[in-house]
Amino acid sequence: MGLMQPLIEQSKNPSGLLGKVMLRIMNNAHRSLTVWGLSMLKPADKILDVSCGGGNAVSLMAASGRFRKIHGIDFSPDAVSSAAAKKPAAA
């Protein structure tokens, strides 16, 4: 079967060790686009990140101090755990 199909499946619903690797890959691969997208947002009282993945966007929003409340949701319990454990990071 090869490695490609399991990686594709993990991108849908990351879980276990391979899921943690996939979340890290997604956070790193999407970082520049995430930073650009967040720069387009105006300060707000509340933000909802749907499909928060590994939590990179939530972490960057928290670090910016531009948002009063930030919530992230994801279908994958492992993604939510990863995002919840992430500390605010500098943009």
Side-chain angles (χ1 to χ4, degrees):
M1 175 190 330
L3 185 59
M4 203 57 174
Q5 191 58 39
L7 287 175
I8 290 168
E9 291 303 314
Q10 285 295 327
S11 69
K12 297 176 190 175
N13 185 11
S15 63
L17 180 59
L18 190 54
K20 288 179 183 179
V21 170
M22 180 53 74
L23 289 168
R24 183 168 288 203
I25 289 169
M26 287 190 288
N27 274 345
N28 291 333
H30 300 154
R31 184 173 174 83
S32 61
L33 182 59
T34 299
V35 169
W36 173 82
L38 296 178
S39 75
M40 299 293 123
L41 295 177
K42 295 183 178 6
D45 283 342
K46 297 177 188 167
I47 294 287
L48 174 61
D49 181 1
V50 178
S51 191
C52 65
N56 199 42
V58 170
S59 174
L60 290 168
M61 285 187 278
S64 77
R66 297 172 44 215
F67 311 102
R68 196 169 67 79
K69 281 271 196 194
I70 304 164
H71 301 276
I73 60 172
D74 199 288
F75 178 73
S76 164
D78 285 1
V80 172
S81 293
S82 174
K86 204 160 177 49
K87 303 290 184 221

